[in-house]
Amino acid sequence: MFIKPEKIVNQLPRKLAQGRRLALANLDWLINHVHPYFFITFGPEKEALLNLCMNLHTLGENHQLALRDTDEKLIIATLNKPGTLFRTLNALTDKAIIYEEMVHSNTNLPGQECQLEIQKFHFLADKEKPWPISFFRGKGRIRKNLQEHYPQFNFREFDTVFSYFLGNSPDYVMLSPAIRVARAMWLYQSAIRRGGAFLDIEATIDERGQEESRLTFSVINPLVKGYIGQVIEIFFRLNIATRRNYILEIDDGAQKVTILTAYITTRDGEPISKEMPLFSSIESELYNTRVINVQDRTYREMVVGHVLTGPEGSLLSAIDTFVHTNMAHGSPYRFSWEETQDAFFSHLQLTREILNLFEKKFHPDPEKRPAKGTLENEYRRIQTMIEEYNTGHALLDETRRIMFAVALLFVQHALKTNFFVTLKKALSFRLDPSYMKHLPQEIRGNLPLDTPFRITFFYHRNGSGYHFGFSDIARGGFRTIIARTKDDFGSAMGTIFKEAMVLAHTQHLKNKDIYQGGSKMAVVMKAFDLKGQDRVTNRLYNLQRGVINAFLDIFVTRDGKPVDPKVVDYYGEDEPIEVGPDENMHDSMIEWMAERAKERGYILGGGIISSKKIGINHKEYGVTSLGVWKFLERALKELGIDARSDPFSVKITGGTNGDVAGNEIKLLLEHCPKVQITSITAGSGAIYDPKGMDKEELDRLILKDNVDKFSPDRLNEGGFILYSREQKKEGLVDLFKMATREKDGVREEWVSSDEFHAQFENLIFSRYTDVFMPCGGRPETIHMGNWQKLFDEKDGPTTRAVVEGANSFVSPKAREEIQKKGIIILKDASANKCGVICSSYEIIGGLLMKDGEFLEHKEAYVSDVLKILEKRAVDESGLIFRRHGQSQNKALYTDTSDEISREINDLTHTVYSYLLAHPEKMKKSPYTKVLLLHLPAFIRERKKFRDRVKGLPLKYRIAMVSTEIATSAIYHRGLEVPFEDKVEQFVRKLSGKLIS
């Protein structure tokens, strides 16, 4: 039926009058039944408040009312039902929320069975210019409230902290009661001062005089978009009723701090106290938000689905990752990430049994931990369940039984963990490596035969990795592999276990000249979801800090016992582990690690890491490259070339601004006037010049800039530059920039991805040079699938010698095949060993000198260390070629290198065990002289520092003496094995060197 427009118009005045009466009634209801804070914070939202008054009575008919919806703000009125806020936040996952407020009415809406709920959100937008602090009249009231209620606040920081709040959320500061702003400022500072997070709960009374609880929580860098929703999901999952909550994000330029104040009760309306089990659940869940990966299937299906708690979800994700990384390097498709997750989702009872057993084994309360016999019975019972796993799919069942078995091995062989530690951002698990002998042969056979001394696994929401150590006192680098694509991440995670173990094993062979055995920490970081280098760097630092804190959680001990009472330790010894800089380890992080280790009382203090400012920076002094240079010089001599006077050609991997490659190029330019560096390949690009690159232009870039900054005008005809970082798309094709020097100038063009990578690879394999020096690049870049490319169509070698400045650049089997066809290979464990030797002497310097003394005498001390490095490189390179000649040129150079390393390590271990059994010998003069002989002349020649040597830990002194005896014996044929009857004679012989 058609209604005339004028009739509708004539009805409007009556409807408007009726609406005005309803609006006033609604306003009256709001005044009487909504917390007064609501009207204070809604001061600027008069239009939204008017909208609410006009339409409040339609709630029920409407699911919700959008009171304001702009790019900066969203305000919603809805009925208070369990999960309403959680569902709203789920719909806002693409928004960066910087403030959230939620309030309830204190009674049901008229005609409804639910209370009113108001949700208010502020989103990240261009910030308005903050008001000058001096213009804000309420500042004094906020300060007074801090003094009265939070006297522990550091008032020297008041103006700075206040400016952060005013700059991030002026509305919040201007409109909120002074006590609320004071509380938020206290929470901000508390998160920073207390290790990254702070939680508290206290009893309070609402406006009706009813008891409730005020929960306050602040956390630094929660890292994930949608974090507020994650917190509200916890309340929903724990059946907690939220009366009001306020969530604010403060970005201070260095970090983001999320601050939560929530007024809560149980669903039955009871207040929540610290003594209640429910609070323990809240605590573990909120702190776990810094660990759990909310993008993971485990979180989405198991945690949100109420199958697992948040901490259990994190533990399962860690076990999934452990199983996948242990297995995928040997069988990537069978044990892919997806297949591994499917296994644990396929039998939830078995999965939960494994999780429960782990939690019981490491529960901090001794009364809740099972006895050893009970544990063994539980292992057997679960093993039986695994053996009985059967879905009727034989091949799939066999694979899944293996996965569950490895998960059980993880629980059986875990010796300590930080799982129950409160303030953590990553999980750490120290394992007994003997579990590896139970892995399938196809997996174990893909790894070095030697069993590590220790394995530590780390799980972080944005990456995971391992620390391998091949002796008790061990050192090696901490590298982070940044995966910028999903394919890179999947590939790196599939091989990280093998990569870390191989690198640690190589390091152990390399560490033969020092008292520390070999180790390596390697972690893969997900970065494919990030845009912009700043965000990548921010995540890198967060991940590294999380991993190092997790490391310290379990390795900060006193007399063999963990300092943190929530760490249950089945190993029971102090473990002195030293870390060095490696891939993606920045100077600022090196300094942070040293300070953090001191703060937390680590056994080595700042000696946890080398290459500090108060240390010997590898890049500044070129210590690794010095050893590579001496091995190069000796290899060229074998080829009949005098490096200092004869012409020769070199191709290099690694950037001009890199530590090893940059310093190696610098040494070549300094010592080799006729060298031709024909190609350099690096992450930023590659350069090729058939006549050798312009040395002045190279010198301009060394240790300052990357190869893509080389001027193409300075190339000779036929030379070119490939630019990795200058890309564009044409349709579906990825193109890279290439500049070629032609007779009449430089020609720029865009080449396909295939052509780019083919040219890149040709520089490594196909271009002829006397020497190839890999000084950067991924492990096993040359492997069994491509080593043949080092030989031309006539089977002639494209290089005469390979001197490995980069670790594991050539795979072990490929090395064998290459050498059999006549190319000399001097392997990493020998050629680039001087970096780790230098780090060892840096730690010694730090142990024997105070910071001020080290800085005062640094140049003299470093000068002596460089002399030791050069001697060690000359000693070994000479011995390798001597033994090669003695074998009538039949022995492989890399086998000889391994042989020397093993002989020194074995003899060191034998002497070490002998002296541990006879510690009284360390007080005798010949042994004290041998100990001094291991040290730089600077220490030996100054009584003040020489006297401090006896204050070093006994194990350290014994290890130094053992290493000095073993290296001298093997390099200079001074001691035969067995040695017990000759050791005194040999020690006297060595100590005589000190006198002479």
Side-chain angles (χ1 to χ4, degrees):
M1 175 178 161
F2 177 75
I3 301 176
K4 293 181 180 181
E6 54 268 25
K7 185 174 182 179
I8 296 173
V9 171
N10 291 336
Q11 292 176 351
L12 284 179
R14 183 167 54 84
K15 291 288 184 182
L16 289 172
Q18 182 182 1
R20 183 175 182 276
R21 289 193 298 274
L22 281 170
L24 289 172
N26 289 340
L27 176 60
D28 185 60
W29 186 88
L30 290 168
I31 291 170
N32 287 295
H33 298 293
V34 179
H35 197 284
Y37 276 2
F38 167 75
F39 295 96
I40 296 172
T41 59
F42 262 64
E45 310 296 345
K46 293 183 177 60
E47 292 298 324
L49 186 56
L50 179 61
N51 194 355
L52 178 62
C53 291
M54 294 293 292
N55 295 285
L56 180 64
H57 56 282
T58 68
L59 272 177
E61 178 184 350
N62 294 307
H63 294 297
Q64 65 180 31
L65 300 174
L67 307 179
R68 182 168 182 180
D69 190 356
T70 68
D71 290 339
E72 289 81 25
K73 290 182 182 179
L74 174 66
I75 305 174
I76 291 173
T78 185
L79 296 177
N80 171 29
K81 296 180 180 179
T84 49
L85 179 57
F86 175 53
R87 284 188 285 275
T88 301
L89 287 163
N90 264 348
L92 297 176
T93 52
D94 61 331
K95 293 280 192 179
I97 301 171
I98 59 172
Y99 178 74
E100 180 271 330
E101 176 181 337
M102 185 273 288
V103 295
H104 288 168
S105 62
N106 57 26
T107 189
N108 291 344
L109 275 165
Q112 300 292 332
E113 295 181 356
C114 299
Q115 299 168 338
L116 169 68
E117 178 172 303
I118 308 291
Q119 303 169 5
K120 180 180 179 183
F121 306 92
H122 291 196
F123 306 122
L124 184 64
D126 293 335
K127 293 178 183 176
E128 299 177 5
K129 187 175 180 180
W131 289 30
I133 295 177
S134 57
F135 289 176
F136 183 71
R137 297 178 180 176
K139 178 182 170 185
R141 291 195 299 274
I142 294 171
R143 189 182 187 101
K144 183 178 179 182
N145 271 275
L146 272 168
Q147 291 169 335
E148 181 180 348
H149 298 282
Y150 305 102
Q152 306 95 326
F153 186 86
N154 182 354
F155 285 91
R156 287 176 295 182
E157 298 177 356
F158 177 86
D159 283 344
T160 301
V161 175
F162 185 76
S163 70
Y164 294 151
F165 275 69
L166 202 58
N168 278 269
S169 190
D171 281 359
Y172 176 83
V173 177
M174 306 295 278
L175 298 170
S176 298
I179 179 61
R180 190 194 294 178
V181 180
R183 184 181 302 117
M185 289 175 64
W186 158 246
L187 288 168
Y188 165 86
Q189 197 180 76
S190 296
I192 294 171
R193 290 167 66 183
R194 304 194 184 192
F198 174 73
L199 174 68
D200 197 14
I201 195 168
E202 56 186 332
T204 185
I205 303 295
D206 70 9
E207 73 279 9
R208 299 167 298 165
Q210 295 184 355
E211 291 183 335
E212 60 183 1
S213 302
R214 178 168 56 225
L215 183 126
T216 50
F217 181 62
S218 51
V219 58
I220 296 176
N221 290 326
L223 298 180
V224 290
K225 188 182 285 188
Y227 180 74
I228 294 173
Q230 188 182 356
V231 171
I232 299 304
E233 184 275 328
I234 290 170
F235 291 157
F236 177 57
R237 180 158 35 91
L238 295 179
N239 283 315
I240 292 170
T242 311
R243 301 280 183 86
R244 304 184 307 285
N245 68 58
Y246 310 92
I247 301 179
L248 178 67
E249 185 178 272
I250 300 297
D251 185 344
D252 61 17
Q255 58 207 351
K256 293 180 180 179
V257 181
T258 298
I259 300 164
L260 161 72
T261 303
Y263 293 84
I264 60 176
T265 65
T266 66
R267 287 284 179 209
D268 297 330
E270 296 297 320
I272 300 168
S273 66
K274 289 182 179 179
E275 294 72 31
M276 296 170 65
L278 180 57
F279 178 75
S280 297
S281 297
I282 295 171
E283 182 179 47
S284 63
E285 290 282 355
L286 284 176
Y287 282 120
N288 185 63
T289 60
R290 304 203 303 169
V291 179
I292 198 163
N293 180 2
V294 295
Q295 277 83 43
D296 191 13
R297 178 184 173 191
T298 300
Y299 175 78
R300 296 193 312 270
E301 297 184 24
M302 295 279 209
V303 177
V304 176
H306 293 214
V307 178
L308 300 176
T309 66
E312 287 172 339
S314 294
L315 178 59
L316 178 56
S317 292
I319 292 176
D320 281 348
T321 306
F322 178 84
V323 173
H324 166 62
T325 51
N326 265 258
M327 311 297 284
H329 62 86
S331 187
Y333 298 108
R334 187 181 188 193
F335 299 104
S336 70
W337 174 245
E338 292 76 15
E339 292 292 339
T340 307
Q341 277 204 317
D342 284 346
F344 292 99
F345 277 67
S346 71
H347 196 318
L348 295 181
Q349 181 187 353
L350 183 50
T351 297
R352 180 168 281 287
E353 292 277 4
I354 292 171
L355 296 176
N356 288 346
L357 184 57
F358 181 92
E359 292 184 66
K360 289 177 184 176
K361 178 179 177 179
F362 289 102
H363 201 287
D365 185 347
E367 294 184 3
K368 295 183 179 179
R369 287 199 301 272
K372 184 177 180 180
T374 305
L375 272 176
E376 295 299 328
N377 290 336
E378 286 294 287
Y379 295 146
R380 285 192 289 270
R381 182 179 66 81
I382 295 175
Q383 182 60 47
T384 300
M385 290 180 67
I386 293 170
E387 291 167 357
E388 293 173 351
Y389 180 92
N390 188 346
T391 66
H393 305 284
L395 291 177
L396 183 62
D397 289 347
E398 180 188 0
T399 299
R400 288 179 174 174
R401 281 193 289 267
I402 292 172
M403 292 174 179
F404 278 115
V406 174
L408 183 59
L409 286 173
F410 173 82
V411 178
Q412 285 178 283
H413 292 267
L415 298 175
K416 50 185 171 180
T417 177
N418 73 336
F419 177 72
F420 285 98
V421 171
T422 303
L423 288 172
K424 59 182 179 292
K425 289 191 285 186
L427 296 175
S428 55
F429 309 86
R430 200 299 201 184
L431 294 113
D432 176 354
S434 64
Y435 81 86
M436 292 181 66
K437 66 185 178 183
H438 301 290
L439 297 177
Q441 183 54 39
E442 65 182 290
I443 303 301
R444 189 65 184 92
N446 192 42
L447 300 166
L449 295 177
D450 296 335
T451 300
F453 181 86
R454 72 171 63 82
I455 298 176
T456 309
F457 169 60
F458 297 94
Y459 172 81
H460 187 279
R461 60 160 38 125
N462 287 316
S464 297
Y466 290 86
H467 180 276
F468 281 85
F470 277 85
S471 67
D472 190 1
I473 302 173
R475 73 162 295 107
F478 178 0
R479 70 169 45 183
T480 308
I481 301 153
I482 299 176
R484 298 180 186 272
T485 69
K486 285 186 178 181
D487 288 344
D488 287 345
F489 184 70
S491 176
M493 285 298 293
T495 58
I496 189 62
F497 183 89
K498 180 181 179 181
E499 177 172 337
M501 184 176 179
V502 168
L503 289 171
H505 188 254
T506 299
Q507 192 75 45
H508 191 54
L509 298 177
K510 187 187 303 184
N511 285 17
K512 56 187 169 290
D513 298 271
I514 59 177
Y515 65 92
Q516 303 102 325
S519 67
K520 181 67 72 171
M521 184 184 291
V523 176
V524 180
M525 186 188 93
K526 176 180 69 175
F528 57 79
D529 58 333
L530 299 177
K531 292 182 180 179
Q533 186 56 43
D534 288 348
R535 295 183 68 194
V536 172
T537 301
N538 183 54
R539 178 174 290 180
L540 173 68
Y541 291 168
N542 275 292
L543 180 141
Q544 289 174 338
R545 288 190 182 109
V547 168
I548 286 301
N549 272 307
F551 174 98
L552 294 170
D553 286 341
I554 59 176
F555 289 122
V556 173
T557 54
R558 294 286 180 277
D559 300 322
K561 295 180 180 179
V563 170
D564 195 313
K566 293 189 176 181
V567 176
V568 174
D569 188 351
Y570 290 87
Y571 182 62
E573 291 187 27
D574 295 325
E575 300 191 73
I577 302 167
E578 300 171 15
V579 180
D582 205 319
E583 184 178 333
N584 290 310
M585 176 60 65
H586 300 168
D587 289 346
S588 60
M589 185 55 59
I590 291 171
E591 300 299 327
W592 179 88
M593 283 176 59
E595 289 304 311
R596 189 65 178 143
K598 287 180 189 176
E599 289 171 9
R600 297 196 57 181
Y602 183 53
I603 189 172
L604 299 178
I608 189 176
I609 189 163
S610 57
S611 208
K612 303 180 288 292
K613 287 180 182 177
I614 304 177
I616 306 174
N617 186 284
H618 287 201
K619 189 172 183 178
E620 178 183 353
Y621 292 97
V623 295
T624 305
S625 304
L626 174 61
V628 179
W629 153 244
K630 298 312 294 183
F631 271 80
L632 169 67
E633 189 176 31
R634 185 62 183 81
L636 288 170
K637 181 180 178 182
E638 190 72 12
L639 298 173
I641 298 172
D642 185 334
R644 297 174 186 267
S645 60
D646 295 338
F648 65 97
S649 57
V650 179
K651 54 187 173 185
I652 295 175
T653 65
T656 46
N657 193 31
D659 171 12
V660 182
N663 278 299
E664 199 59 44
I665 295 168
K666 181 180 178 182
L667 288 168
L668 287 169
L669 297 183
E670 286 177 359
H671 298 295
C672 311
K674 295 184 179 180
V675 67
Q676 289 184 330
I677 302 174
T678 60
S679 73
I680 302 174
T681 58
S684 62
I687 313 174
Y688 171 69
D689 193 313
K691 294 182 180 180
M693 290 169 217
D694 185 283
K695 293 175 182 177
E696 286 186 5
E697 181 67 1
L698 269 182
D699 188 58
R700 182 180 69 83
L701 300 180
I702 290 171
L703 305 179
K704 299 184 187 77
D705 233 324
N706 296 313
V707 297
D708 56 355
K709 301 301 181 183
F710 191 100
S711 174
D713 292 324
R714 305 296 290 270
L715 292 172
N716 291 294
E717 186 179 346
F720 59 80
I721 303 177
L722 297 164
Y723 298 89
S724 300
R725 296 171 183 170
E726 295 195 42
Q727 304 177 35
K728 69 176 184 178
K729 260 191 184 306
E730 283 189 1
L732 299 176
V733 179
D734 291 319
L735 300 177
F736 292 82
K737 182 180 173 182
M738 179 177 178
T740 305
R741 185 72 164 86
E742 298 180 339
K743 190 172 184 178
D744 56 352
V746 176
R747 175 172 58 89
E748 291 187 355
E749 60 183 319
W750 293 90
V751 298
S752 70
S753 177
D754 289 344
E755 184 177 352
F756 174 88
H757 289 293
Q759 290 277 23
F760 217 87
E761 188 176 89
N762 281 340
L763 295 182
I764 296 174
F765 291 105
S766 303
R767 303 288 179 176
Y768 290 86
T769 55
D770 292 303
V771 182
F772 174 31
M773 303 185 73
C775 294
R778 302 299 310 138
E780 300 195 2
T781 296
I782 299 177
H783 49 77
M784 285 301 290
N786 63 14
W787 69 266
Q788 299 89 343
K789 294 180 182 179
L790 279 174
F791 298 85
D792 60 21
E793 296 164 351
K794 297 180 180 180
D795 211 26
T798 61
T799 192
R800 301 170 69 188
V802 178
V803 183
E804 294 184 340
N807 287 323
S808 304
F809 190 85
V810 186
S811 73
K813 291 182 180 179
R815 283 184 185 134
E816 293 180 18
E817 299 302 325
I818 293 166
Q819 289 175 97
K820 288 176 184 177
K821 294 175 73 66
I823 296 178
I824 295 170
I825 296 184
L826 298 178
K827 70 177 296 188
D828 48 10
S830 298
N832 69 20
K833 68 177 183 176
C834 286
V836 73
I837 299 173
C838 177
S839 296
S840 177
Y841 282 100
E842 177 186 327
I843 299 302
I844 291 173
L847 292 171
L848 296 176
M849 289 183 274
K850 298 174 183 176
D851 288 352
E853 293 172 333
F854 190 93
L855 291 174
E856 180 184 354
H857 302 293
K858 181 175 180 177
E859 294 309 315
Y861 184 79
V862 172
S863 177
D864 283 345
V865 170
L866 293 174
K867 291 173 186 175
I868 292 173
L869 303 185
E870 187 166 335
K871 182 179 185 302
R872 293 303 194 194
V874 170
D875 283 347
E876 185 174 0
S877 61
L879 181 56
I880 288 173
F881 283 102
R882 275 202 314 274
R883 289 195 177 182
H884 183 72
Q886 291 165 1
S887 73
Q888 298 180 334
N889 301 332
K890 293 180 180 178
L892 300 180
Y893 294 96
T894 53
D895 286 349
T896 302
S897 175
D898 287 348
E899 179 183 88
I900 292 168
S901 295
R902 291 183 187 281
E903 287 177 14
I904 292 175
N905 283 339
D906 289 347
L907 184 52
T908 298
H909 178 72
T910 305
V911 178
Y912 181 80
S913 300
Y914 173 74
L915 292 178
L916 272 181
H918 302 88
E920 69 282 355
K921 291 186 178 292
M922 292 298 295
K923 297 178 182 179
K924 294 183 179 180
S925 176
Y927 289 91
T928 58
K929 290 178 179 177
V930 172
L931 175 56
L932 291 174
L933 194 63
H934 185 76
L935 303 175
F938 177 86
I939 300 296
R940 297 199 302 267
E941 294 167 0
R942 288 164 176 78
K943 186 177 186 302
K944 177 171 70 171
F945 302 124
R946 189 170 65 239
D947 288 346
R948 293 177 187 174
V949 173
K950 59 189 175 186
L952 293 173
L954 177 62
K955 280 187 174 183
Y956 272 45
R957 287 182 282 128
I958 289 175
M960 291 176 191
V961 169
S962 304
T963 299
E964 193 61 30
I965 291 173
T967 51
S968 298
I970 302 303
Y971 289 145
H972 304 293
R973 309 171 189 167
L975 181 65
E976 297 174 4
V977 179
F979 72 95
E980 285 86 348
D981 55 341
K982 300 181 181 179
V983 69
E984 295 287 343
Q985 178 183 351
F986 188 72
V987 167
R988 288 193 183 93
K989 178 181 175 182
L990 273 181
S991 65
K993 290 184 178 181
L994 182 62
I995 298 170
S996 62

